[in-house]
Amino acid sequence: MSLFLLLSNFGASIAEVANDAIVAEIAKSKTSRSASSGELQSFVWMASAVGGVLGNLLVGIVIDRFSPQSLFLFFGLLLMLQFLVTITVPERSLNLPKSPSNVGIRKQLSELSAALQKTEIAYTIAWFAASYAIIPVLTGTMFFYQTHYLKIDISVLGISKVFGQVVSLLWGVIYNRSLKSVRPRKLLQVIQVTMAALMLSDVLFVRGTYRLMGVPDSIYVVFFSGVLEILFYFKILPFNVLIAQLCPPGCEGSLMAFVMSALALALIVSGYLGVALASYMGITEYDFSGFPLGLQIQAVCTLLPILFSSWIPDIEKSKTRTE
């Protein structure tokens, strides 16, 4: 199962990097009206959110009616359909800049190295990766607490996933209409503070404060846990827009691949830190007494990236450099 999961994520990573590179190239194209404005990135984000809503809703309906083998078969058929649609779309219809056929790995690495030597790009990527890696994520511990300790039905968690994807869709719409002109530094700082606030809300949830106020655990899980889980990735949209502005022409693919690799490494570090924190707090299958303190430490770590948010360039500087 681990091997198949590895192969699945490997293929998904290739497609995701290629998609991000194409979006960045088109967004920077001189013929694109949405150049460096974030409209295309917002549209891609909203399309992904719609897929997440439909997928989670469908699985929530049929998970008790079909076997896991049938669900994986359906998933494989969807991937095959996506593959057939993709190979029928000619690249020339995307109006991408033509790259020389003799470009090798060494030249691509050289271009990537030159891009990373730019202070704005290097510092922005470093902040983005550190803002994930520095947080000891306790998502798995919260999931176990909700399902095994509180005995919350799995269908409630499915509804929570759907609600989170709906919020993700709304985030794409709001960003495209109202937040594109906001400085990236300020926007990313607000996201970090909001994440920390919801983590502190989880502390009250684990302590049973909301339950004493008459709020059922299932209601909190649907409306807050799903939002916090998807809020963790809200930074990706404004970050992609900023990187598209800073990235030199022709280096979009290599730079986005590097960014995704840095993000994957940061998430791995974050996960291991979460395991270490849960172990240090003495959280076990039957003892969650240290869980509230662990969530408070997680919230404090979430605020730490704000201290070095000066690494993120202002949008006025970014626009000037792009021009």
Side-chain angles (χ1 to χ4, degrees), residues 21-30 32-41 96 240-241 244-245:
I22 291 174
V23 170
E25 288 184 5
I26 295 179
K28 289 202 67 172
S29 174
K30 295 180 179 179
S32 176
R33 294 180 180 179
S34 60
S36 301
S37 66
E39 292 181 4
L40 185 58
Q41 288 91 338
L96 297 175
N240 282 347
V241 174
Q245 296 173 3

Side-chain angles (χ1 to χ4, degrees), residues 2 42 104 271 323:
S2 299
S42 300
E323 294 172 358

Side-chain angles (χ1 to χ4, degrees), residues 111-322:
E111 293 177 349
L112 175 61
S113 177
L116 293 176
Q117 288 177 7
K118 295 185 176 182
T119 305
E120 290 183 342
I121 295 178
Y123 276 38
T124 301
I125 296 177
W127 185 92
F128 183 69
S131 68
Y132 282 100
I134 203 173
I135 302 174
V137 63
L138 296 173
T139 305
T141 306
M142 178 61 76
F143 179 82
F144 187 85
Y145 174 79
Q146 293 171 350
T147 55
H148 289 74
Y149 190 79
L150 297 181
K151 305 298 182 181
I152 294 178
D153 191 83
I154 194 68
S155 61
V156 175
L157 298 178
I159 297 175
S160 174
K161 296 281 187 180
V162 173
F163 184 76
Q165 292 295 334
V166 171
V167 173
S168 178
L169 175 61
L170 294 177
W171 165 245
V173 175
I174 294 173
Y175 179 83
N176 185 50
R177 291 187 175 182
S178 307
L179 300 179
K180 290 185 299 183
S181 59
V182 179
R183 293 185 176 185
R185 182 188 303 173
K186 180 179 179 180
L187 185 58
L188 293 172
Q189 288 175 340
V190 171
I191 293 176
Q192 292 293 131
V193 173
T194 306
M195 289 171 55
L198 286 180
M199 291 174 184
L200 293 177
S201 178
D202 278 349
V203 175
L204 301 179
F205 168 69
V206 173
R207 288 178 174 174
T209 304
Y210 293 120
R211 196 180 308 116
L212 295 176
M213 296 171 59
V215 180
D217 292 336
S218 57
I219 297 297
Y220 181 88
V221 170
V222 169
F223 291 100
F224 288 91
S225 295
V227 172
L228 177 58
E229 184 175 349
I230 201 65
L231 184 64
F232 201 70
Y233 300 97
F234 270 22
K235 294 180 290 187
I236 295 179
L237 178 55
F239 176 80
N240 282 347
V241 174
L242 179 59
I243 284 295
Q245 296 173 3
L246 300 176
C247 180
C251 192
E252 291 85 354
S254 301
L255 187 60
M256 292 309 301
F258 180 83
V259 169
M260 291 299 105
S261 299
L263 175 59
L265 178 61
L267 291 175
I268 292 174
V269 173
S270 175
Y272 276 109
L273 289 178
V275 173
L277 178 60
S279 178
Y280 181 76
M281 291 291 103
I283 302 174
T284 64
E285 182 179 359
Y286 302 104
D287 184 10
F288 287 88
S289 58
F291 197 20
L293 180 57
L295 290 172
Q296 294 178 51
I297 296 175
Q298 180 184 10
V300 172
C301 292
T302 303
L303 296 175
L304 292 180
I306 298 178
L307 300 179
F308 52 96
S309 58
S310 58
W311 291 6
I312 307 171
D314 289 333
I315 194 165
E316 287 84 4
K317 297 179 181 179
S318 301
K319 287 183 177 180
T320 303
R321 181 64 56 88
T322 302

